[in-house]
Amino acid sequence: MNSKAKSNIETAELVLPCEDFDKTLEFFTERLGFKINVIFPADNPAVASIFGYGLSIRLEKSSGNFGENKNIKLRLECNSPENIADGESELTAPNGVKIELIDANPPLDLPEVKQTFVHTKLSENAEWIKGRAGMRYRDLIPDRQGGRFIASHIHIPQGGEVPDYVHFHKIRFQIIYCYKGWAKLVYEDQGESFIFKAGDCVLQPPQIRHRVLESSDNLEVIEIGCPAEHETFADHETNLPTNLVDSLRDFGGQRFVHYAADQDLSEKRWRLDDLLCRTTGIKYATNGLADVKTVWFIQPNADSGFEENSAKINLTEHDAEFVFFFILQGKANLRRENNTKDSLERGDALTIPAGMKYSFTECSKNFKMLEVTLPADIRFKEF
């Protein structure tokens, strides 16, 4: 064997294209007993790495004539792929099979952000897609801001045990907010499993092992991730909970956070008049990378009638990488420059690009929303 190859190749994977991805994956895992190692993207799986019996296979959703050898590839993950074939990234075997040489530990791919104004309404053309572990996904940012961010509304209709497995994500940033219902979760080095309830928020730092164990009927969560398309790795060796409990453990420069809403009575003024907010601690756990707040009208226990925020509408703008809102309850209007007005209601999602002037007005007295920003400390101007 070539000494360069022997010292650099770590794993081998056979790539098989398949037209019906779901049925093919089910055939290999349920009928033949292969196990899932990696699957992505979570909201509409199209790639799965599976293994069994000493063989690793990568299923890729595709179309074409699968009987031709030119459609079959063998992927070799290498420490230094450039040292295997004198700088070539692909070889061809005598039988026509392609040998693909790739980096075993590539850096995280962060597409350049392309900020746009997005307003996704639950009541209009709501499309749910079956995703990982049987969960239903609704895409809240269809353009993905150039591939930089993904926001998903995830729904589990039938409660009980969730067919999940210990896994982790190769990500820059990821949070989950519990919108409705509850789930039982467990995380690496964070103690026993716990109940994740409506109003709670979890920061999942890069590569922390975790698992969803159970859920209530009609569990709904909001999940924000960066980058939009990221890999989910199964970990068949780690058992959760782990024996170690370390709440301050560093995972890629971040710490795990479970924000429990029913234990937080703090409140402070938000940046616009007549709105209050609560922070989740994610700003400090990410070293300023991101912040997550819940924001509500100053009379959260009043009826749901409309009230004008103030006689004068003050517009604001920001200079951030990402500003996202999800309307949790109530109604409001989004006022934009040139006197454009967008009607907001429960289930709506927004991304506000840098430099766009806006304000929330005519909020109902039960108005409440989730705010996610990157970075945590962003500058605002009022007009």
Side-chain angles (χ1 to χ4, degrees):
M1 179 183 289
N2 184 292
S3 60
K4 291 182 179 178
K6 186 176 181 180
S7 62
N8 282 283
I9 297 172
E10 292 189 354
T11 62
E13 196 172 49
L14 182 64
V15 178
L16 298 180
C18 49
E19 189 166 17
D20 192 324
F21 178 85
D22 290 338
K23 286 187 176 179
T24 306
L25 179 60
E26 182 181 4
F27 175 84
F28 275 94
T29 56
E30 299 297 323
R31 185 171 181 180
L32 298 183
F34 279 75
K35 293 183 178 180
I36 294 174
N37 189 40
V38 181
I39 187 168
F40 69 96
D43 64 323
N44 191 16
V47 177
S49 177
I50 62 178
F51 72 95
Y53 319 111
L55 178 66
S56 294
I57 296 175
R58 180 182 177 94
L59 301 176
E60 294 185 349
K61 189 173 184 178
S62 183
S63 60
N65 183 357
F66 302 144
E68 299 180 10
N69 280 345
K70 66 181 181 180
N71 288 315
I72 306 300
K73 293 186 291 186
L74 179 65
R75 285 165 55 94
L76 300 180
E77 297 186 352
C78 316
N79 289 325
S80 301
E82 67 278 4
N83 292 333
I84 304 296
D86 299 323
E88 296 293 328
S89 61
E90 187 175 273
L91 301 174
T92 302
N95 64 349
V97 172
K98 300 296 183 182
I99 311 299
E100 204 173 37
L101 306 172
I102 65 168
D103 191 341
N105 295 292
L108 188 64
D109 181 23
L110 286 177
E112 181 179 353
V113 64
K114 296 179 181 178
Q115 296 193 36
T116 60
F117 171 71
V118 176
H119 179 194
T120 305
K121 296 188 73 66
L122 175 61
S123 58
E124 294 178 4
N125 303 318
E127 182 179 358
W128 295 86
I129 298 174
K130 183 180 178 181
R132 190 186 65 80
M135 303 177 189
R136 299 172 68 233
Y137 283 73
R138 181 170 72 96
D139 194 349
L140 300 179
I141 313 177
D143 69 4
R144 306 291 172 87
Q145 304 288 280
R148 187 82 162 193
F149 293 95
I150 183 171
S152 301
H153 183 179
I154 304 173
H155 177 215
I156 299 181
Q158 187 69 42
E161 185 176 347
V162 176
D164 198 11
Y165 41 83
V166 177
H167 64 281
F168 63 93
H169 308 285
K170 189 174 182 180
I171 50 167
R172 176 192 181 209
F173 170 75
Q174 187 178 52
I175 64 105
I176 300 177
Y177 177 88
C178 189
Y179 179 34
K180 295 180 180 179
W182 59 264
K184 189 176 183 180
L185 311 178
V186 62
Y187 285 83
E188 179 182 8
D189 294 350
Q190 307 305 312
E192 297 294 325
S193 59
F194 61 89
I195 299 299
F196 179 57
K197 304 182 297 297
D200 290 4
C201 188
V202 163
L203 171 70
Q204 294 185 164
Q207 301 193 30
I208 187 171
R209 273 63 174 169
H210 58 283
R211 183 181 177 189
V212 183
L213 301 173
E214 301 174 35
S215 84
S216 66
D217 289 344
N218 290 312
L219 169 69
E220 295 185 43
V221 303
I222 307 303
E223 181 178 279
I224 315 292
C226 173
E229 188 168 299
H230 54 265
E231 296 171 311
T232 297
F233 291 82
D235 185 340
H236 298 290
E237 304 300 323
T238 299
N239 293 316
L240 298 178
T242 52
N243 294 325
L244 177 67
V245 178
D246 183 3
S247 61
L248 298 179
R249 179 177 168 181
D250 183 283
F251 294 88
Q254 301 177 35
R255 299 189 309 277
F256 171 79
V257 170
H258 170 210
Y259 168 79
D262 61 2
Q263 298 177 22
D264 184 9
L265 299 178
S266 65
E267 59 183 40
K268 63 180 183 179
R269 291 276 181 171
W270 197 54
R271 59 180 175 271
L272 296 177
D273 291 342
D274 298 329
L275 291 171
L276 300 175
C277 71
R278 285 179 181 155
T279 60
T280 56
I282 288 173
K283 171 182 175 179
Y284 305 102
T286 60
N287 293 308
L289 172 66
D291 199 8
V292 179
K293 297 184 177 77
T294 52
V295 181
W296 67 93
F297 191 61
I298 202 166
Q299 301 178 57
N301 296 318
D303 62 40
S304 59
F306 272 91
E307 282 204 2
E308 179 68 42
N309 291 48
S310 60
K312 178 184 177 183
I313 298 175
N314 294 319
L315 299 177
T316 185
E317 69 175 24
H318 67 81
D319 63 353
E321 173 188 345
F322 181 67
V323 172
F324 170 87
F325 299 100
F326 183 85
I327 310 305
L328 299 169
Q329 63 182 44
K331 298 180 180 181
N333 287 319
L334 179 75
R335 295 293 184 107
R336 292 188 274 156
E337 49 196 332
N338 301 324
N339 206 32
T340 303
K341 183 169 71 171
D342 303 278
S343 176
L344 307 177
E345 56 189 356
R346 181 185 62 82
D348 286 9
L350 299 165
T351 58
I352 306 292
M356 191 189 90
K357 299 178 179 63
Y358 71 98
S359 183
F360 292 96
T361 66
E362 295 96 18
C363 299
S364 65
K365 293 179 180 178
N366 66 339
F367 178 69
K368 187 176 183 180
M369 64 182 178
L370 175 72
E371 179 194 48
V372 180
T373 64
L374 276 80
D377 293 321
I378 57 180
R379 294 174 297 179
F380 290 91
K381 293 181 182 178
E382 285 197 4
F383 299 89

